[in-house]
Amino acid sequence: MEKVKNSVQELMELDKKYFLHPTSPIKQQQDQGPSFIFTEGKGVMLTDILGNTVIDGMSSLWNVNVGHGREELGKVAMEQMSKLAFSSCFATFSNEPAIRLAAKLAEIAPGNLNATFFTSGGSEANDTAYKLARHYWILKGQPNRKKIISRTKSYHGVAMGSTNATGLKPFREFTNAFDPDFCYADHFSSEDLRRVIEAEGPETIAAFIAEPIQGAGGLHVAPDDYFKEVKSICNEYGILLITDEVITGFGRTGKYFGIEHYGVVPDMMCFAKGITSGYAQLGGVMLSETIHQDYMELSTGTLLHGYTYSGHPMACAVALKNIELIEEEGLIANAEKMGAEMHKGFQWIEGERKIIGKVKGLGLMGGLELVKDRNTNEKFQNPVAPLVVTEAAKRGLICRSVVFDGQDTVVFAPPLIISKEEMAKMIDILHDAIAAVEAEVLQ
């Protein structure tokens, strides 16, 4: 045990000295070190270096859809790396896993989405979509169409383009990234989208991008008719509709893709995360057959956009196997079923605890809004969601807080393999964590 403690202390010091963490408080890291040093994952559980086990209530970053420790994916990665670990897809070079994955995506994607540009992740996918949309309008002889409209409370990544598209202002303030060609419409109002289009000038708008369900922005499920209305508005003004399925894709919401809940087919669709369940870095953008056809007819030179790892053979091989697991194990249906169990559990907590203002979610994406007074919807002066996250972690459950733009929400997205028994345990831990916080803040 002493040896383990020494090893932990060494790793904590090395972490503080050499590892600049993504989306983490630097001061907290320096004062306390890493909150967990994970060494193993199995199913919905994670184990840290001290042997503590916790339920991964977030699928790590909304992405480990098929659960941790899937040897099938490791085996496929090893086989592909042993055969062809990497080859470039520039200059029309190709490889079989990338070709077969693009074909599979065309088979499962909504409507006429049929051509894929591969990236290494979601931020790159979103940046790619904006560039492809702008280039599309150049090819169509309308170069002034370059503005991108997104929604307030949206999150689209942290590359420069995707940072500007993110409606959560703190992400843009972080680097003074305020590009005037990015605009924002109210996240629940289709009429506000029309207002922004008219104010900016329809002839200047390239595309509108939206998450089917806003995840990192606080778990906001769009009104039933919202996407049909925005699709109609985009058609009216000749604007491309891009959906960001980085979180909502590959079964997370109880359908293959979140937009399928709304009966709408976008012109472009961004994806990442669940396509490999986090076992390899992969993302991409799908184009409609119409746009792809226009590209083929109008493009005469080189498409001057590409990443070193676009179409990475190992990542694509892992994605194909991951999709196979999702289908063979009925994980999309399980996400719908267990999502209903999660929602029922959240409603039970709402009935038991005073500080729950609203329960929301779809499939295995869920959230609890926390309030000081549920009758008036008065919020706490300081958000309490982070306190719930801390208490849940003590009890063996990882979840996440969202406190941007005056929000106070705890969000969840467990792996799609979660069982009824595991869900019940998650709900019990969450209830106890909220009860502990409630006793503290309502004294």
Side-chain angles (χ1 to χ4, degrees):
M1 180 57 74
E2 191 65 31
K3 186 176 180 181
V4 171
K5 287 183 179 178
N6 290 337
S7 175
V8 172
Q9 189 60 41
E10 178 195 12
L11 287 172
M12 291 184 73
E13 292 305 317
L14 291 173
D15 184 281
K16 289 193 287 185
K17 188 173 183 179
Y18 297 114
F19 188 3
L20 185 62
H21 283 244
T23 315
S24 301
I26 295 174
K27 191 174 189 309
Q28 178 184 322
Q29 179 203 7
Q30 293 304 310
D31 289 345
Q32 303 172 23
S35 53
F36 287 96
I37 300 176
F38 290 117
T39 58
E40 187 178 355
K42 193 69 177 176
V44 303
M45 307 299 293
L46 288 168
T47 302
D48 75 1
I49 196 167
L50 294 172
N52 302 309
T53 59
V54 293
I55 297 173
D56 186 358
M58 280 305 301
S59 298
S60 288
L61 273 178
W62 320 83
N63 62 338
V64 188
N65 288 12
V66 299
H68 298 279
R70 299 303 298 255
E71 293 181 3
E72 306 97 314
L73 298 181
K75 182 179 178 182
V76 164
M78 181 186 70
E79 290 174 350
Q80 183 59 49
M81 291 175 74
S82 299
K83 184 168 54 176
L84 177 67
F86 174 73
S87 65
S88 168
C89 290
F90 284 30
T92 75
F93 293 179
S94 200
N95 64 79
E96 184 175 356
I99 294 168
R100 294 204 179 279
L101 178 57
K104 179 63 178 178
L105 289 170
E107 175 190 321
I108 64 177
N112 67 341
L113 293 166
N114 81 334
T116 298
F117 185 104
F118 288 114
T119 69
S120 300
S123 292
E124 286 185 359
N126 276 277
D127 267 30
T128 296
Y130 315 145
K131 291 180 73 174
L132 291 180
R134 287 170 167 175
H135 185 62
Y136 174 78
W137 289 115
I138 290 172
L139 293 176
K140 297 283 282 185
Q142 299 182 55
N144 290 332
R145 281 190 180 267
K146 59 181 181 176
K147 293 179 182 176
I148 306 295
I149 302 176
S150 63
R151 299 195 288 166
T152 57
K153 294 184 170 60
S154 63
Y155 178 82
H156 297 293
V158 292
M160 285 305 289
S162 47
T163 292
N164 274 287
T166 292
L168 298 168
K169 198 174 180 182
F171 286 90
R172 305 197 305 278
E173 293 175 331
F174 173 70
T175 55
N176 288 327
F178 297 101
D179 188 325
D181 287 329
F182 287 83
C183 316
Y184 314 94
D186 183 85
H187 69 302
F188 276 168
S189 172
S190 59
E191 281 307 305
D192 196 55
L193 171 61
R194 184 185 295 277
R195 178 193 64 78
V196 173
I197 292 170
E198 291 286 354
E200 296 294 329
E203 71 284 354
T204 70
I205 310 298
F208 171 64
I209 184 166
E211 304 152 277
I213 296 99
Q214 291 181 321
L219 224 298
H220 302 289
V221 181
D224 289 344
D225 293 331
Y226 175 81
F227 278 100
K228 287 185 178 178
E229 291 167 0
V230 299
K231 176 65 172 176
S232 176
I233 290 169
C234 286
N235 288 344
E236 178 183 343
Y237 292 103
I239 294 166
L240 300 179
L241 173 62
I242 306 169
T243 53
D244 180 346
E245 297 266 5
V246 170
I247 289 175
T248 53
F250 302 95
R252 171 59 54 193
T253 67
K255 291 187 181 293
Y256 236 129
F257 297 95
I259 199 65
E260 293 180 85
H261 289 279
Y262 304 104
V264 167
V265 177
D267 300 295
M268 296 185 183
M269 181 176 78
C270 302
F271 62 84
K273 295 188 183 289
I275 189 171
T276 64
S277 290
Y279 283 71
Q281 301 95 321
L282 185 67
V285 182
M286 295 196 71
L287 313 179
S288 71
E289 188 172 358
T290 303
I291 293 178
H292 190 209
Q293 191 65 40
D294 282 342
Y295 263 108
M296 290 189 287
E297 292 177 1
L298 298 174
S299 179
T300 57
T302 299
L303 183 69
L304 294 174
H305 180 69
Y307 302 103
T308 298
Y309 298 124
S310 292
H312 191 288
M314 183 276 287
C316 291
V318 170
L320 282 165
K321 186 63 178 181
N322 180 69
I323 292 171
E324 181 183 309
L325 293 175
I326 289 172
E327 293 181 343
E328 288 184 350
E329 297 178 9
L331 296 186
I332 297 174
N334 194 61
E336 181 180 22
K337 183 179 177 182
M338 289 301 102
E341 286 291 322
M342 183 169 73
H343 193 77
K344 184 169 70 173
F346 287 175
Q347 289 179 318
W348 170 73
I349 294 174
E350 182 183 24
E352 294 288 313
R353 306 265 55 97
K354 297 177 181 178
I355 62 172
I356 307 301
K358 185 179 180 182
V359 172
K360 50 190 179 178
L362 185 63
L364 281 175
M365 292 180 70
L368 294 169
E369 289 185 359
L370 304 175
V371 294
K372 186 175 183 180
D373 187 327
R374 125 185 341 161
N375 294 320
T376 63
N377 206 36
E378 178 189 358
K379 295 186 182 299
F380 289 96
Q381 184 173 358
N382 297 310
V384 300
L387 302 179
V388 173
V389 171
T390 299
E391 289 297 327
K394 291 178 185 177
R395 291 163 171 77
L397 170 64
I398 290 177
C399 51
R400 179 171 172 175
S401 64
V402 175
V403 296
F404 304 112
D405 292 345
Q407 299 181 87
D408 196 358
T409 302
V410 184
V411 297
F412 298 83
L416 310 191
I417 61 167
I418 194 167
S419 68
K420 189 172 182 179
E421 293 74 23
E422 290 165 336
M423 180 62 73
K425 184 176 180 181
M426 187 184 99
I427 296 298
D428 285 342
I429 294 173
L430 176 61
H431 171 265
D432 291 348
I434 292 174
V437 171
E438 184 174 277
E440 178 183 343
V441 299
L442 293 185
Q443 289 180 348

